[in-house]
Amino acid sequence: MRGLFIGRFQPYHLGHHEVVKKILEEVDELIIGIGSAQESHTVENPFTAGERIMMISKAIDELGTRKKVYIVPLEDIYRNSLWVAHICSMTPRFDVVYTNNPLVYRLFREANFNVVKTGMINRHEYQGTEIRKKMLEGDNWEKFVPKAVVEVIRQIGGIERIREIAGKDF
Ligand code: ATP
Ligand code: MG
């Protein structure tokens, strides 16, 4: 059985990581879809698809799973009624979709997919928006993401990037 989990992963945090661990207990193979793949260098979407691939791939390596994980970048098509077909055209076949996002849930249900809600894990702290805010404001964000993600963000100068692009004109 092959599962699909989609997110923007800006950045990939411990909430996502816990969900992935749970899914890997249930499926033989997992597809992780990176949504809004075309976006980067904005406060909402600071990291490129390639950088997000590095975060996820290295964090999953640390789990030591023997299961196959495919990481697939997915660009936005700005047309919700056709979105599921777009996803299917870009990914290996899948039997079950895992999501906690109401729109993703609705769209896959309407297309008759088996969709599972995993439930939120410590959503108060494990939330992309809050973590990006901490990065901007110089608060401790490192404890909310896997160690491998801290390392990738350090290597690419991610914190400097987010602060610089949030700044005013010179
Ligand atoms: P943002 O605040 O930028 O939207 P996010 O934390 O919601 O970030 P997404 O990439 O939008 O992260 O989420 C991808 C998927 O992971 C969605 O289905 C979302 O509901 C789920 N998710 C996000 N945070 C958690 C969490 N703490 N526990 C469980 N699932 C989560
Ligand atoms: Mg979200």
Side-chain angles (χ1 to χ4, degrees):
M1 198 184 58
R2 193 177 297 124
L4 170 69
F5 180 52
I6 297 183
R8 284 181 15 261
F9 307 118
Q10 291 282 13
Y12 182 79
H13 58 59
L14 287 171
H16 302 134
H17 206 45
E18 285 304 313
V19 168
V20 164
K21 277 192 225 171
K22 273 204 229 172
I23 298 173
L24 283 171
E25 289 172 12
E26 295 177 13
V27 299
D28 305 303
E29 297 192 352
L30 173 62
I31 306 159
I32 299 185
I34 301 187
S36 299
Q38 81 284 356
E39 297 282 344
S40 74
H41 295 79
T42 69
V43 174
E44 279 288 294
N45 290 290
F47 307 115
T48 67
E51 289 161 352
R52 289 176 272 164
I53 288 175
M54 295 299 281
M55 294 177 201
I56 297 166
S57 164
K58 284 172 182 271
I60 286 174
D61 278 354
E62 287 184 347
L63 292 178
T65 179
R66 296 167 63 91
K67 293 186 177 170
K68 182 90 189 152
V69 179
Y70 306 89
I71 304 174
V72 181
L74 300 165
E75 289 182 28
D76 289 327
I77 60 162
Y78 308 102
R79 199 173 276 230
N80 287 336
S81 64
L82 301 181
W83 185 72
V84 169
H86 167 62
I87 301 309
C88 291
S89 79
M90 298 299 292
T91 55
R93 278 179 178 273
F94 50 89
D95 310 289
V96 53
V97 180
Y98 294 88
T99 186
N100 293 311
N101 180 286
L103 176 62
V104 174
Y105 186 88
R106 177 75 200 184
L107 294 176
F108 277 109
R109 281 301 302 141
E110 284 190 14
N112 292 321
F113 276 91
N114 178 13
V115 193
V116 175
K117 299 172 189 158
T118 66
M120 283 297 174
I121 297 153
N122 188 10
R123 180 64 169 164
H124 180 62
E125 295 181 315
Y126 299 163
Q127 182 172 1
T129 305
E130 284 304 309
I131 295 169
R132 291 192 301 275
K133 206 166 135 208
K134 289 188 163 65
M135 289 172 166
L136 258 177
E137 293 174 354
D139 293 336
N140 181 346
W141 56 273
E142 288 94 335
K143 64 179 172 187
F144 305 122
V145 304
K147 286 213 162 42
V149 173
V150 176
E151 182 61 16
V152 170
I153 291 175
R154 195 191 61 74
Q155 279 173 0
I156 64 176
I159 303 307
E160 295 73 16
R161 176 190 297 169
I162 223 174
R163 291 195 189 142
E164 220 165 295
I165 59 185
K168 296 195 175 65
D169 282 9
F170 301 121

Coordinates of all heavy atoms in Angstrom, one line a residue, residues 6 74-91 94 103-104 106-108 110-111 113:
I6 N 0.8 15.6 1.6 CA 1.2 16.8 0.9 C 1.3 18.0 1.9 O 0.4 18.1 2.8 CB 0.1 17.2 -0.2 CG1 0.1 16.1 -1.2 CG2 0.4 18.5 -0.8 CD1 -0.9 16.4 -2.4
L74 N 5.5 19.8 -6.3 CA 4.2 20.0 -7.0 C 3.9 21.5 -7.1 O 3.7 22.2 -6.1 CB 3.1 19.3 -6.1 CG 3.2 17.8 -5.9 CD1 2.3 17.4 -4.8 CD2 2.9 17.1 -7.2
E75 N 3.9 22.0 -8.3 CA 3.6 23.4 -8.5 C 2.1 23.7 -8.4 O 1.3 22.8 -8.7 CB 4.1 23.8 -9.9 CG 5.6 23.9 -10.0 CD 6.1 24.3 -11.4 OE1 5.4 25.1 -12.1 OE2 7.2 23.9 -11.8
D76 N 1.7 24.9 -8.0 CA 0.3 25.3 -7.9 C -0.2 25.4 -9.3 O 0.4 25.9 -10.2 CB 0.2 26.6 -7.2 CG 0.5 26.5 -5.7 OD1 0.2 25.5 -5.1 OD2 1.1 27.5 -5.1
I77 N -1.5 25.0 -9.5 CA -2.2 25.2 -10.8 C -3.3 26.3 -10.7 O -3.9 26.6 -11.6 CB -2.7 23.9 -11.4 CG1 -3.7 23.2 -10.5 CG2 -1.5 23.0 -11.8 CD1 -4.5 22.2 -11.3
Y78 N -3.6 26.7 -9.4 CA -4.6 27.8 -9.2 C -6.0 27.4 -9.8 O -6.6 28.2 -10.4 CB -4.1 29.1 -9.8 CG -2.8 29.5 -9.3 CD1 -1.6 29.3 -10.1 CD2 -2.6 30.0 -8.0 CE1 -0.4 29.7 -9.6 CE2 -1.3 30.3 -7.5 CZ -0.2 30.2 -8.4 OH 1.0 30.5 -7.9
R79 N -6.3 26.1 -9.7 CA -7.6 25.6 -10.2 C -8.0 24.4 -9.4 O -7.7 23.3 -9.7 CB -7.5 25.3 -11.7 CG -8.9 25.3 -12.3 CD -8.7 25.1 -13.8 NE -8.5 26.5 -14.4 CZ -9.2 26.9 -15.5 NH1 -10.2 26.1 -16.0 NH2 -9.0 28.1 -16.0
N80 N -8.7 24.7 -8.2 CA -8.9 23.6 -7.3 C -9.7 22.4 -7.9 O -9.4 21.2 -7.6 CB -9.7 24.1 -6.1 CG -8.8 24.9 -5.2 OD1 -7.6 24.8 -5.2 ND2 -9.4 25.9 -4.4
S81 N -10.6 22.7 -8.8 CA -11.4 21.6 -9.4 C -10.6 20.6 -10.2 O -11.0 19.5 -10.5 CB -12.5 22.2 -10.2 OG -12.0 22.9 -11.3
L82 N -9.4 21.0 -10.6 CA -8.5 20.2 -11.4 C -7.3 19.7 -10.7 O -6.5 19.0 -11.2 CB -8.1 20.9 -12.7 CG -9.2 21.4 -13.7 CD1 -8.6 22.0 -14.9 CD2 -10.0 20.2 -14.1
W83 N -7.2 20.1 -9.4 CA -6.0 19.9 -8.7 C -5.6 18.4 -8.4 O -4.5 18.0 -8.6 CB -6.1 20.7 -7.3 CG -4.8 20.7 -6.5 CD1 -3.7 21.3 -6.8 CD2 -4.6 19.9 -5.3 NE1 -2.7 21.1 -5.8 CE2 -3.3 20.2 -4.9 CE3 -5.4 19.1 -4.5 CZ2 -2.7 19.7 -3.7 CZ3 -4.9 18.5 -3.4 CH2 -3.6 18.9 -3.0
V84 N -6.6 17.6 -8.1 CA -6.3 16.2 -7.8 C -5.8 15.5 -9.1 O -4.8 14.8 -9.0 CB -7.6 15.5 -7.3 CG1 -7.4 14.0 -7.3 CG2 -8.0 16.0 -5.9
A85 N -6.3 15.8 -10.2 CA -5.8 15.3 -11.5 C -4.3 15.7 -11.7 O -3.5 14.9 -12.1 CB -6.7 15.7 -12.7
H86 N -4.0 16.9 -11.4 CA -2.7 17.5 -11.5 C -1.7 16.7 -10.6 O -0.7 16.2 -11.0 CB -2.7 18.9 -11.1 CG -1.3 19.6 -10.9 ND1 -0.4 19.6 -11.8 CD2 -0.8 20.1 -9.8 CE1 0.7 20.2 -11.3 NE2 0.5 20.5 -10.1
I87 N -2.2 16.5 -9.3 CA -1.3 15.7 -8.4 C -1.1 14.3 -8.9 O 0.0 13.8 -8.9 CB -2.0 15.6 -7.0 CG1 -2.3 17.0 -6.4 CG2 -1.2 14.7 -6.0 CD1 -1.1 17.9 -6.4
C88 N -2.2 13.7 -9.4 CA -2.0 12.3 -9.9 C -1.1 12.2 -11.1 O -0.4 11.2 -11.3 CB -3.4 11.7 -10.3 SG -4.5 11.4 -8.8
S89 N -1.1 13.3 -11.9 CA -0.2 13.3 -13.0 C 1.3 13.4 -12.7 O 2.2 13.1 -13.5 CB -0.6 14.4 -14.0 OG -0.1 15.6 -13.6
M90 N 1.6 13.9 -11.4 CA 2.9 14.2 -11.0 C 3.5 13.1 -10.1 O 4.7 13.2 -9.7 CB 3.0 15.5 -10.4 CG 2.6 16.7 -11.3 SD 3.7 16.8 -12.7 CE 5.2 17.3 -11.9
T91 N 2.7 12.2 -9.6 CA 3.1 11.3 -8.5 C 2.9 9.8 -8.9 O 2.1 9.5 -9.8 CB 2.3 11.5 -7.2 OG1 0.9 11.3 -7.6 CG2 2.5 12.9 -6.6
F94 N -1.2 6.1 -5.7 CA -1.3 6.0 -4.3 C -2.7 5.5 -3.9 O -3.6 5.6 -4.7 CB -1.0 7.3 -3.6 CG -1.7 8.5 -4.2 CD1 -3.0 8.8 -3.7 CD2 -1.2 9.2 -5.2 CE1 -3.6 9.9 -4.2 CE2 -1.8 10.3 -5.7 CZ -3.1 10.6 -5.3
L103 N -9.3 21.6 2.8 CA -9.4 21.7 1.4 C -8.8 20.5 0.7 O -9.5 19.9 -0.2 CB -8.7 23.0 0.8 CG -8.8 23.1 -0.7 CD1 -10.2 23.2 -1.2 CD2 -7.9 24.4 -1.1
V104 N -7.7 20.1 1.1 CA -7.1 18.8 0.5 C -8.0 17.7 0.8 O -8.2 16.8 -0.1 CB -5.6 18.6 1.1 CG1 -5.1 17.3 0.7 CG2 -4.7 19.7 0.8
R106 N -11.2 17.6 1.3 CA -12.4 17.8 0.4 C -12.2 17.4 -1.0 O -12.9 16.7 -1.6 CB -13.0 19.2 0.5 CG -14.2 19.5 -0.3 CD -15.4 19.0 0.3 NE -16.5 18.9 -0.7 CZ -17.7 18.5 -0.5 NH1 -18.1 18.1 0.8 NH2 -18.6 18.4 -1.4
L107 N -11.1 17.9 -1.6 CA -10.8 17.7 -3.0 C -10.6 16.2 -3.3 O -11.1 15.6 -4.2 CB -9.6 18.5 -3.5 CG -9.9 20.1 -3.4 CD1 -8.6 20.8 -3.8 CD2 -11.0 20.4 -4.4
F108 N -9.8 15.5 -2.4 CA -9.5 14.1 -2.6 C -10.8 13.3 -2.4 O -11.0 12.3 -3.0 CB -8.3 13.6 -1.8 CG -7.0 13.9 -2.4 CD1 -6.2 14.9 -1.9 CD2 -6.6 13.2 -3.6 CE1 -4.9 15.1 -2.5 CE2 -5.4 13.5 -4.2 CZ -4.5 14.4 -3.6
E110 N -13.9 14.2 -2.9 CA -14.8 14.4 -4.1 C -14.3 13.5 -5.2 O -15.1 13.1 -6.1 CB -14.8 15.8 -4.5 CG -15.7 16.7 -3.6 CD -16.0 18.1 -4.2 OE1 -15.7 18.3 -5.4 OE2 -16.4 18.9 -3.4
A111 N -13.0 13.2 -5.3 CA -12.4 12.4 -6.4 C -12.4 10.9 -5.9 O -11.8 10.1 -6.6 CB -11.0 12.8 -6.7
F113 N -11.1 9.3 -3.4 CA -9.9 8.7 -2.7 C -10.2 8.4 -1.3 O -11.1 9.0 -0.6 CB -8.7 9.7 -2.8 CG -8.0 9.6 -4.1 CD1 -8.4 10.4 -5.2 CD2 -7.0 8.7 -4.3 CE1 -7.7 10.3 -6.4 CE2 -6.3 8.6 -5.5 CZ -6.7 9.4 -6.6

